[in-house]
Amino acid sequence: MACLILLSVGILFNLFGCIGLIRLPDVYNRLQAATKCVTLGTCSILIGVLVHFGFNDAGVKAMVAIPILFFASTVAAHALIRGAYGFGIRLGDRSVKDDYKDAVK
Amino acid sequence: MRYLTLFILSLIMWLLLTFKLTIPNLIVGTVVAAITALIFARYFIRNVHKFLEPKRYFWLFVYFFVFLWACLKANIDVAYRVLHPAMPIRPGIVKVRTTLRSDFARTLLANSITMTPGTISVDIIGDDLYIHWIYVHSEDPEVYSSLILGQFEKYIKRIVE
Amino acid sequence: MISYLDIMLYVQIALSGICMYRIIRGPTIPDRMVGIDIFGILVVGICAIIAIETEKSYILDIGIAWIILSFIGTLTLAKYLSGKKINE
């Protein structure tokens, strides 16, 4: 039962992340919403797997996957946002402040 | 010393992934961990004696719960901004100065900032972290530095440095 | 008889379809790359749900390998991006 609740919470967060991926206006905000929500949602699904299987080979594999997923997704987001800035995508119309512009040039 | 630490960590990782304590499995794991340590130990962190100090593990444990709470708040915050019909966003890139010195501590700080409410780290140049913020609450550097870095810097200093 | 787990699996596959929309329609190249990155993480969730349904543990190995491969792929794409400009 706890397993099903964790899975549902994870899928709900994944849903929020995907709505953010569709609705938000520019690439920086999309990356922001999607990375956070989808990473925590998938971590929640993996904890659900751990609860379902208990402490045996499958459960331990799910537990090992959580830190790998966390570091991989955050570093990938960092690389993508820096690459997008270097590619020449400017911040959207609604943005108010850009300190990075002076630092790069 | 670095070689030995990386060897032990790789062996633990192998045993967790295969989850079998038989003799052939142990032999294969030892060989694979030795090869990994030989190739990658020169990229590993320098001060490996810090692995032996128990109070760092205690602060890591405390930091885990602080981080989990911030992470949950971040997700509720994103859900609110995404589902609100008018989308209350006010994005911008701000500059924050950090006092952490070592590379590993800075990596951990940047990763933590990426998972906390409304912020994602863009770049580190010198001592300055550049952070994309989805809702710029204030234009004052003092205020937003304390809002973004929060307690993280204090805990990471106790864990790593 | 469709179980609750099946419904979750279908929802997760539908979410990957939403990512696919962003990959196909994304106005710029970085938008597509964000879609690819998120798609890779969602596939790990699909692997985890299938592992619960079939009670087999090797599917989680596929998930772990998928995380690492998608991470390396995203890093390569980001490296490719930062060497280019928008008008090339």
Side-chain angles (χ1 to χ4, degrees):
Chain A
M1 196 61 212
C3 162
L4 285 183
I5 292 172
L6 280 168
L7 284 178
S8 314
V9 170
I11 287 179
L12 198 65
F13 279 134
N14 280 352
L15 179 67
F16 290 151
C18 284
I19 293 174
L21 195 63
I22 294 297
R23 276 197 78 195
L24 289 170
D26 67 344
V27 60
Y28 303 102
N29 297 315
R30 277 175 200 148
L31 190 57
Q32 170 126 217
T35 302
K36 273 185 201 112
C37 277
V38 174
T39 305
L40 193 80
T42 308
C43 282
S44 174
I45 291 177
L46 287 171
I47 294 172
V49 175
L50 177 62
V51 169
H52 176 82
F53 282 105
F55 199 76
N56 58 11
D57 55 346
V60 169
K61 268 173 203 162
M63 201 177 73
V64 170
I66 292 172
I68 296 177
L69 173 68
F70 169 72
F71 277 100
S73 71
T74 47
V75 174
H78 173 83
L80 268 179
I81 197 167
R82 199 172 148 195
Y85 205 99
F87 187 67
I89 309 284
R90 292 290 144 237
L91 292 179
D93 302 333
R94 297 169 73 175
S95 50
V96 291
K97 197 166 164 52
D98 190 358
D99 285 343
Y100 191 50
K101 196 164 54 188
D102 314 327
V104 183
K105 285 287 166 272
Chain B
M1 194 61 200
R2 273 200 281 172
Y3 287 84
L4 190 64
T5 316
L6 187 55
F7 173 75
I8 293 170
L9 286 179
S10 315
L11 193 59
I12 290 173
M13 192 79 182
W14 169 268
L15 288 179
L16 278 180
L17 275 179
T18 54
F19 212 71
K20 255 188 315 199
L21 259 183
T22 55
I23 298 294
N25 193 27
L26 265 178
I27 293 172
V28 174
T30 313
V31 172
V32 172
I35 294 173
T36 312
L38 276 181
I39 297 175
F40 290 107
R42 70 187 108 154
Y43 307 115
F44 201 54
I45 53 175
R46 307 232 161 243
N47 299 318
V48 284
H49 61 88
K50 284 176 181 167
F51 274 106
L52 297 176
E53 297 172 15
K55 75 171 192 299
R56 294 184 193 276
Y57 291 102
F58 170 71
W59 286 114
L60 187 66
F61 188 69
V62 174
Y63 178 71
F64 177 74
F65 286 102
V66 173
F67 176 74
L68 200 65
W69 174 239
C71 203
L72 280 175
K73 257 196 323 197
N75 279 273
I76 306 291
D77 181 71
V78 168
Y80 163 71
R81 289 193 199 293
V82 163
L83 295 179
H84 197 282
M87 278 199 295
I89 59 171
R90 200 162 164 261
I93 294 182
V94 297
K95 185 167 83 172
V96 174
R97 187 163 283 270
T98 175
T99 56
L100 297 174
R101 286 280 157 259
S102 69
D103 285 345
F104 183 68
R106 285 178 175 183
T107 312
L108 203 56
L109 181 66
N111 280 352
S112 306
I113 283 173
T114 302
M115 293 306 286
T116 47
T119 51
I120 184 166
S121 52
V122 180
D123 204 352
I124 298 181
I125 298 175
D127 276 349
D128 297 329
L129 274 164
Y130 291 90
I131 288 165
H132 181 268
W133 204 1
I134 203 170
Y135 193 90
V136 180
H137 290 278
S138 76
E139 305 271 329
D140 186 16
E142 294 272 321
V143 177
Y144 62 65
S145 295
S146 68
L147 260 180
I148 290 173
L149 294 178
Q151 329 93 321
F152 290 134
E153 215 172 15
K154 193 174 68 190
Y155 285 112
I156 289 173
K157 194 167 270 179
R158 282 178 186 147
I159 293 168
V160 180
E161 299 215 329
Chain C
M1 181 65 203
I2 296 179
S3 70
Y4 193 53
L5 271 174
D6 280 332
I7 298 173
M8 284 184 184
L9 191 58
Y10 296 147
V11 170
Q12 190 84 359
I13 291 172
L15 293 180
S16 332
I18 295 179
C19 278
M20 209 47 106
Y21 171 82
R22 182 49 74 199
I23 294 173
I24 294 169
R25 289 298 301 274
T28 60
I29 298 174
D31 281 312
R32 288 167 202 206
M33 292 184 183
V34 172
I36 293 170
D37 185 29
I38 301 306
F39 185 78
I41 303 176
L42 283 176
V43 169
V44 179
I46 295 178
C47 285
I49 296 175
I50 294 177
I52 290 184
E53 256 191 330
T54 59
E55 301 276 335
K56 300 246 179 9
S57 73
Y58 68 87
I59 297 174
L60 286 167
D61 285 332
I62 302 174
I64 294 175
W66 197 294
I67 299 172
I68 297 170
L69 284 180
S70 115
F71 170 59
I72 294 171
T74 309
L75 282 191
T76 317
L77 290 175
K79 205 74 189 167
Y80 160 81
L81 264 189
S82 53
K84 293 239 172 204
K85 285 288 171 226
I86 197 166
N87 49 8
E88 275 176 30

